[in-house]
């Protein structure tokens, strides 16, 4: 019973219920954080102070989102969007599944070989919404594909963000007393990622296979932002410069490991080349902030929420409360309980990378006492960390897809991204993560 009264449990329930009732995620996060603080005995004023101070932990990410939104609006204003749309319509035709799995492939590349993470989504997806509409694609299928592309690669492939994830996982396991090699992590994560793949196929080919109607709504009225008619030659030059700006943004991001520098580089090129007139830059900023501003604030508040949970020691109390349940418990049952604990923690914190150090400190000794192998322990911790990330309202794995798919106001963050990804990835992760823990 004490577990059910834990501030983490109750605050995450507050977050989920309010989100499902279509209370905006910003308000849901604030109320969840306040409930966690009050339940842990923190005064209201101190809780709010910790929340606000903790928001700085995601300030770089929030600024990155805003600048990427502005850059995306400039790209749309350049006129290259219509050219891209016409080209893709000729190449793809009516093969909607080809288009969906192209986004899976792009997501894989964005996490590994070209580690730009979610940076491609606000740039690439909004211009293609008209194409989605023509093909009558259910955007929940696209959201599932994008989230899979953002998560499965770093869980399995030790390249780019995957190498970071594997390094954190191996280091934390080793630091807590269990010997495991970095090269063992991909094998430990293979079965859980197989579960996510099953979830992806079900989402695309079963759950969301039917056609869905959307209205054709311009995400950015680029025509109204052009002050003069451009010659065909100048239009071609603008398109070439826009492509160069996109490439430059990616190169700068990779070179400096900063989405901020990358976005600023692209914006600077667009302005200096006069693809976007300085007099029109206000319109670009307005559209970009409108597109990405709410998501940026969600990331900030999510960071503050995580700080409240850390300040109250509620996560440690939760893990300590359930650790006594496992005496004589079969491995399969223990694995399910551990994965559920990881789900609750990550739902609140919103990042699998940040959750690993928190849960590894207790999971490793507990797994050792229960007789789990190092590979099984890695599978449990990796899956537990990934669980909430795939279905948290405050995770960039869900916020990223919504930022693109919801650009025209026809894609709900909770019901069209969070709920589909939660059902299609968290359920398989629990099932396949348990299988991995038992057989490895």
């Amino acid at each position: 019973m004490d577990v059910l009264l834990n501030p983490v449990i109750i605050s995450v329930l507050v977050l989920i219920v309010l989100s499902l009732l279509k209370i905006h995620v910003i308000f849901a996060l604030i109320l969840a954080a306040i409930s966690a603080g009050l339940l842990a005995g923190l005064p209201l004023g101190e809780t709010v102070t910790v929340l606000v101070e903790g928001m700085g932990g995601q300030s770089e990410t929030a600024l990155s989102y805003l600048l990427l939104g502005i850059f995306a609006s400039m790209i749309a204003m350049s006129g290259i969007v219509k050219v891209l749309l016409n080209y893709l319509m000729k190449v793809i035709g009516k093969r909607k599944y080809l288009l969906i799995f192209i986004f899976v492939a792009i997501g894989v590349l964005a996490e590994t070989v070209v580690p730009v993470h979610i940076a491609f989504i606000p740039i690439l997806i909004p211009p293609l919404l008209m194409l989605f509409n023509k093909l009558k694609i259910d955007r929940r299928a696209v959201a599932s594909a994008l989230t899979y592309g953002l998560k499965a690669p770093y869980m399995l492939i030790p390249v780019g963000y995957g190498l970071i994830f594997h390094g954190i996982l191996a280091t934390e396991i080793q630091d807590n007393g269990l010997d495991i090699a970095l090269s063992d992590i991909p094998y430990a994560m293979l079965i859980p990622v197989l579960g996510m793949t099953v979830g992806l196929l079900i989402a695309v080919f079963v759950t969301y296979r039917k056609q869905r109607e959307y209205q054709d709504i311009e995400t950015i009225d680029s025509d109204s932002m052009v002050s003069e008619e451009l010659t065909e030659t100048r239009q071609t030059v603008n398109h070439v410069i826009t492509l160069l700006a996109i490439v430059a943004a990616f190169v700068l991001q990779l070179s400096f490991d900063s989405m901020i520098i990358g976005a600023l580089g692209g914006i600077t090129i667009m302005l200096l080349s006069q693809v976007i007139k300085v007099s029109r830059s206000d319109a670009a900023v307005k559209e970009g902030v409108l597109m990405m501003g709410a998501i940026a604030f969600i990331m900030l508040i999510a960071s503050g929420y995580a700080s409240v949970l850390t300040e109250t020691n509620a996560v440690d109390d939760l893990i300590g409360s359930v650790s006594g349940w496992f005496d004589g418990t079969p491995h399969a049952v223990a694995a399910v309980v551990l994965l559920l604990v990881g789900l609750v923690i990550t739902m609140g914190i919103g990042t699998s990378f940040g959750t690993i150090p928190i849960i590894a400190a207790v999971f490793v000794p507990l797994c050792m006492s229960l007789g789990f192998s190092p590979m099984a322990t890695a599978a449990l911790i990796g899956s537990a960390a990934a669980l909430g990330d795939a279905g948290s309202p405050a995770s960039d794995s869900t916020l990223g897809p919504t930022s693109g798919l919801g650009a025209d106001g026809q894609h709900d963050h909770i019901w069209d991204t969070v709920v589909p990804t939660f059902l299609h990835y968290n359920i398989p992760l629990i099932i396949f993560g348990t299988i991995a823990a038992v057989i490895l």
Side-chain angles (χ1 to χ4, degrees), residues 65 103 122 161 175 243 247 261 267 292 301 303 312 327 329 331 357 382 393 397:
Y65 271 56
F103 290 122
Y161 287 104
D175 288 348
L243 290 174
V247 172
I261 294 176
I267 291 170
M292 301 295 288
I301 298 170
S303 178
T312 60
D327 293 337
T329 302
H331 277 189
S397 296

Side-chain angles (χ1 to χ4, degrees), residues 53 132 138 142 246 249 268 286 318:
E53 290 178 350
F132 295 166
D138 192 326
V142 181
I246 294 171
T268 301
K286 178 182 177 181
L318 173 63

Side-chain angles (χ1 to χ4, degrees), residues 224-406:
S224 67
M225 298 181 187
V226 178
S227 58
E228 72 278 344
E229 292 294 328
L230 299 178
T231 65
E232 184 175 346
T233 300
R234 179 60 195 181
Q235 287 178 345
T236 301
V237 171
N238 282 356
H239 296 162
V240 171
I241 293 174
T242 300
L243 290 174
L244 291 175
I246 294 171
V247 172
F250 284 158
V251 170
L252 286 170
Q253 178 184 331
L254 295 178
S255 300
F256 293 92
D257 192 23
S258 170
M259 284 193 289
I260 293 175
I261 294 176
L264 281 175
I267 291 170
T268 301
I269 291 173
M270 299 283 277
L271 290 173
L272 291 179
S273 64
Q274 296 194 57
V275 171
I276 303 299
K277 301 290 186 182
V278 174
S279 60
R280 298 292 177 179
S281 60
D282 285 348
V285 171
K286 178 182 177 181
E287 293 290 344
V289 172
L290 185 65
M291 183 190 305
M292 301 295 288
I295 292 175
F297 272 102
I298 289 170
M299 295 299 292
L300 289 173
I301 298 170
S303 178
Y305 177 28
S307 294
V308 172
L309 295 181
T310 303
E311 181 72 18
T312 60
N313 295 318
V315 174
D316 293 338
D317 293 341
L318 173 63
I319 296 175
S321 298
V322 301
S323 62
W325 294 0
F326 298 112
D327 293 337
T329 302
H331 277 189
V333 176
V336 171
V337 173
L338 288 172
L339 289 171
L340 290 175
V341 170
L343 168 62
V344 173
I345 295 171
T346 317
M347 282 285 288
I349 295 176
T351 168
S352 54
F353 288 77
T355 304
I356 291 176
I358 296 173
I359 61 177
V362 177
F363 274 35
V364 171
L366 193 56
C367 288
M368 291 173 66
S369 67
L370 293 171
F372 284 107
S373 69
M375 293 272 282
T377 302
L380 278 173
I381 296 174
S383 299
L387 269 166
D389 205 4
S392 170
S395 164
D396 53 5
S397 296
T398 58
L399 288 169
T402 298
S403 70
L405 295 169

Side-chain angles (χ1 to χ4, degrees), residues 60-77 81 118-127 219-220 225 249 259-260 262-264 266-267 270 276 280-296 400 403-404 407:
E60 181 177 351
T61 302
L63 181 57
S64 300
Y65 271 56
L66 288 175
L67 291 175
L68 285 171
I70 295 168
F71 186 36
S73 70
M74 288 184 172
I75 291 171
M77 290 167 61
V81 171
I118 61 164
F120 73 94
I121 294 177
I123 294 173
L124 184 61
I125 299 298
T219 55
I220 297 175
M225 298 181 187
M259 284 193 289
I260 293 175
L264 281 175
I267 291 170
M270 299 283 277
I276 303 299
R280 298 292 177 179
S281 60
D282 285 348
V285 171
K286 178 182 177 181
E287 293 290 344
V289 172
L290 185 65
M291 183 190 305
M292 301 295 288
I295 292 175
S403 70

